[in-house]
Each structure stands twice: as C-alpha cells, then as structure tokens.
Amino acid sequence: MTAPGAGMPFGAYQNEIYLQGLGGQLPPFTTDPDALEGSARGRLGPGPFWYVAGGAGSGATVRANREAFDRRRIVPRMLRDATTRHLGTTVLGTEMPAPVLLAPVGVQSIVHPDGELATARAAAELGLTMILSTASSHTIEDVAAANGDGSRWYQLYWPNDPDVCVSILSRAKESGYRVLVVTLDTWSLAWRPHDLDQSYLPFIRGTGVAIPFSDPAFRAGLAKPPEEDMPSAILRWVPMFTGTDKSWAQLSFLREHWDGPIVLKGVQHVDDARKAVDAGVQGIVVSNHGGRQVDGAIASLDALPGIAEAVGEQLEVLFDSGVRTGADIVKALALGARAVLLGRPYVYGLAHGGQGGVRHVVRSVLADLDLTLGLAGFRSPAELNRDALWERA
Ligand SMILES: Cc1cc2nc3c(=O)[nH]c(=O)nc-3n(C[C@H](O)[C@H](O)[C@H](O)COP(=O)(O)O)c2cc1C
C-alpha cells in the first residue's frame, strides 16, 4: 500500500497542512496532543469516553505516566547534519517505517462503528503495524482483510479453555498475524471508578466479543449459538478470559502452539524481564496498560531504563503508556525502547473520523517525531541514548 506522501519524510505533513491552508483548508481536527482528548470527549457519550480515558482507582498511574515524561527533557545538539533522517527499523522480522506500532485496544466500535477495521486500514495506508486485541469488535479474519497486505500482530487475552486458545491462535496465524503479544497485566479487570459509576462494561453488553463468538471451538461449547442466546455466550466468555492468573511455567503452552515470535506485554519489574528471557520469548512491552490496571503503579517510563539495561541485549524491549508526542517517543527510545506503542491518541482519532481520524493523529505524531528528532540533532533512532536526555530530580 502506498502511504500518503510515499517517499516523503513524515515531517512533510507539516508542509502539507500549511499549503492546504493557502486554499482555505484546515486540518480535519486538532494537531495539539493536549487538546485531542477534550475534543474526543465532545464527540463521545460519557460511557465510551471514560472507558477510553479513564484509569484504575485514583488515576495516580495515568498521571504518573505523563509526569515521568515531563520530568525528562531532550538536550538538543547543533550542527550535526540532521537534515535527512532515517526512522525505519525492523523489529522481530517486521519492517517498520518508524519505531511506532498501534497498541492493542479492545472494543473500538464503542467510539466508531468501523472500529478495528478503520484502524487496520489506516495502519496499512501508513505502513505501520497494528496489534489486534482479543477484545476486538470485529473478527480476526475481517480485520486481516481490512488490513490487506499491511502488517499485523495479534494480542492474546489468554483463554482458560485450551481448545479455544489453540483455535484462536491458529486463526491468527492463518490470517497473517506475525507476532503474538501476550498481555499479562489484565487477567482480571482493575477497579475503574469511571466505568463503575456508570455501570459501563462493553463486554457484558455484547461488544468486543467478535473473536470468541466467531470461534468454532468456543461455539462448540455452547448449547445454542451466540446469535440465539447471547447472554449465555457472554456468561461463558467473560470468565474464560478474565479471572484467572497464569504462571511463568504455563508459557510453554503458548510456545508449543505458536511458531512465531512471542512478546509479553505488561512487564514493569527487572526480575520479570529476566524471567521473560529465561522463558525464551523474543520480546517484552514495558507497559502498565496506560494506568488502567494497578493504581499507584510505577510510571512505565520510570521502569524502562533499568529493564532495557538488564535485558535489552537479549530480547526486543518495546514500550507504552503515556506516549502522546514525538518528543515522548524520542525520550522512550533514548531510554532503551526499540519501538513504542501508541494507544489512546489514535483511539481519539478514530472517534473523530474513523480511518481518516486515525490517519490524521498518527501522521501528526510521526511528523512531530521526525521534526523533533532532526531539530535535536539526531538522524535516526539508533543515535539516541541516555546522553540525549536531562532529568529533573
Ligand atoms: C480503551 C482501551 C482499551 C484497551 N484494550 C486493550 C486490550 O484489549 N489489550 C491490551 O493488551 N491492551 C489494551 N489496552 C492498553 C493499550 O494497549 C496500551 O497499553 C495503553 O493504551 C497505553 O497507554 P496510553 O494509551 O495512555 O499511552 C487498552 C487501552 C485503552 C485505552
């Protein structure tokens, strides 16, 4: 697929916007990362908005994620011939035009009817990798079709039923998802006051269940198909994918049934990162789920440098939680991430305008990344290290 402005640097989106302005055309919605959430709030009902924006408990970790970025500052360097940049990289055999992936985000149809299909199309258009959530509102196969020859990874919420688990893994493999991302931090939902106060949980309303409901092994365990008896199907699925923690030893089951790379998402402790190495997986995502799980947890960015130092040579260290700007991406890369996952911002884009909304947000973030990297004197992410940053005590 041809990316918009293929062959053009990402920063060229800036020129495109100014040139279109000469003809009286403004960007479809804000380019300001701080204004984006408020703008999405104006377009969504309180249930969907808070499901996306909210965090666990007091919201302390949502705030900590941002504060950790604020505490670190880039130290720009001059006269370094940074006019031409190269942002491309390869992670676990997947080529990327920039070290950015779209994070797995479930139930996307609560913000736009096209949901994950729109995200899949936007990702393919831009050449970025999307990670499809097990809590998708569309099936594995339909999202793969929307993504076409784009790049896709699959995120597993690990079902207790081994037959259902194996069936979902084989569907993902057959549909061209190259890497398995296993989310470890959400074996149960956290206490989320914004959702509780509205009694808003999409799954029990039949949203975000397209993958199990279309799964032959799951359907085989039901007395009646979900189309005839949705409540029973929901009652079977919800405890199957939440409520049971697993152990490190059980990872061998996934290795047996997935022959591609495996990435563990939700690692925050150096010892867990070392265990991931021992378990023989190929990557980790240093993530606290955007502050949606353990209230009061360490900021993900604060966890990153120690983990990257301990295991960065042995496996791929990816990062998410709190990434909003190009500068944020520069900071995470400088602290040892190989690539970052963009989360809430692209979902707000989706809320504004489906595929086009995702495209606008992602192009804005990539343009900001490209320009910030160059203006700070770096030609590629590979040149970044801790020397690029200053940290407030
Ligand atoms: C509405 C919403 C739904 C999410 N659903 C999933 C999911 O299904 N699977 C998963 O691994 N992570 C999920 N996440 C977490 C993201 O993958 C990512 O870790 C998080 O959004 C990063 O935080 P940030 O958005 O503040 O940058 C979800 C996040 C949001 C906001």
Side-chain angles (χ1 to χ4, degrees):
M1 280 242 175
T2 314
M8 300 287 284
F10 289 114
Y13 193 37
Q14 183 193 45
N15 301 338
E16 190 180 313
I17 290 174
Y18 286 134
L19 287 174
Q20 284 173 345
L22 293 177
Q25 193 184 326
L26 293 180
F29 53 92
T30 185
T31 58
D32 177 352
D34 287 333
L36 186 60
E37 181 177 298
S39 176
R41 187 173 186 177
R43 291 171 173 264
L44 296 171
F49 173 74
W50 283 112
Y51 186 77
V52 177
S58 68
T61 299
V62 177
R63 291 189 295 278
N65 283 337
R66 291 300 309 147
E67 187 274 330
F69 279 105
D70 265 5
R71 201 173 351 104
R72 294 173 171 92
R73 301 287 157 94
I74 298 163
V75 185
R77 303 295 308 274
M78 298 298 133
L79 297 174
R80 301 215 329 170
D81 191 17
T83 316
T84 307
R85 272 96 52 197
H86 179 72
L87 270 62
T89 188
T90 301
V91 180
L92 298 172
T94 300
E95 279 183 34
M96 304 180 180
V100 177
L101 302 89
L102 300 189
V105 167
V107 294
Q108 292 184 20
S109 63
I110 65 172
V111 304
H112 190 282
D114 295 345
E116 294 81 0
L117 301 177
T119 299
R121 291 184 189 116
E125 228 186 327
L126 298 167
L128 256 53
T129 295
M130 85 169 287
I131 309 176
L132 178 68
S133 162
T134 296
S136 172
S137 357
H138 295 276
T139 66
I140 289 175
E141 295 77 11
D142 287 350
V143 175
N147 191 237
D149 58 6
S151 165
R152 46 190 178 270
W153 294 5
Y154 184 76
Q155 177 265 321
L156 185 72
Y157 279 137
W158 190 341
N160 295 332
D161 183 319
D163 292 339
V164 174
C165 184
V166 169
S167 175
I168 288 176
L169 293 181
S170 73
R171 289 169 64 196
K173 196 77 198 173
E174 272 165 33
S175 301
Y177 296 79
R178 296 183 56 180
V179 172
L180 182 68
V181 178
V182 185
T183 298
L184 307 178
D185 59 17
T186 312
W187 57 268
S188 177
L189 270 189
W191 185 253
R192 295 181 184 169
H194 287 296
D195 297 338
L196 290 160
D197 286 354
Q198 304 180 76
S199 188
Y200 184 80
L201 186 63
F203 311 105
I204 59 168
R205 296 161 187 240
T207 304
V209 291
I211 291 177
F213 281 20
S214 59
D215 189 82
F218 178 77
R219 293 171 72 94
L222 298 172
K224 285 186 189 164
E227 302 79 56
E228 284 172 34
D229 183 1
M230 170 129 82
S232 300
I234 291 170
L235 278 177
R236 183 165 154 74
W237 173 243
V238 171
M240 198 184 283
F241 92 109
T242 80
T244 312
D245 197 6
K246 306 279 196 303
S247 67
W248 287 94
Q250 285 172 282
L251 284 173
S252 59
F253 178 83
L254 298 180
R255 280 204 310 270
E256 245 170 70
H257 295 282
W258 181 267
D259 63 9
I262 296 182
V263 172
L264 302 180
K265 176 170 182 278
V267 173
Q268 296 279 274
H269 197 292
V270 173
D271 289 349
D272 284 349
R274 293 201 177 100
K275 284 185 173 170
V277 173
D278 295 343
V281 300
Q282 286 69 39
I284 55 173
V285 186
V286 176
S287 166
N288 57 30
H289 215 102
R292 300 164 68 81
Q293 286 299 97
V294 178
D295 185 30
I298 181 174
S300 196
L301 196 72
D302 285 331
L304 175 63
I307 291 176
E309 205 169 279
V311 301
E313 303 280 305
Q314 287 130 296
L315 42 66
E316 296 286 28
V317 177
L318 309 184
F319 171 84
D320 80 25
S321 296
V323 174
R324 300 291 176 267
T325 67
D328 295 342
I329 298 172
V330 168
K331 292 174 190 176
L333 297 174
L335 292 176
R338 282 274 289 120
V340 306
L341 278 52
L342 189 65
R344 289 182 178 96
Y346 87 81
V347 184
Y348 296 138
L350 181 65
H352 278 84
Q355 179 183 352
V358 176
R359 183 201 304 129
H360 172 60
V361 167
V362 174
R363 289 189 78 194
S364 298
V365 171
L366 293 177
D368 186 16
L369 167 63
D370 186 19
L371 296 170
T372 303
L373 191 72
L375 289 170
F378 299 97
R379 282 168 297 190
S380 83
E383 293 182 356
L384 290 167
N385 58 39
R386 286 200 211 184
D387 285 348
L389 301 184
W390 171 89
E391 186 175 345
R392 194 175 64 222

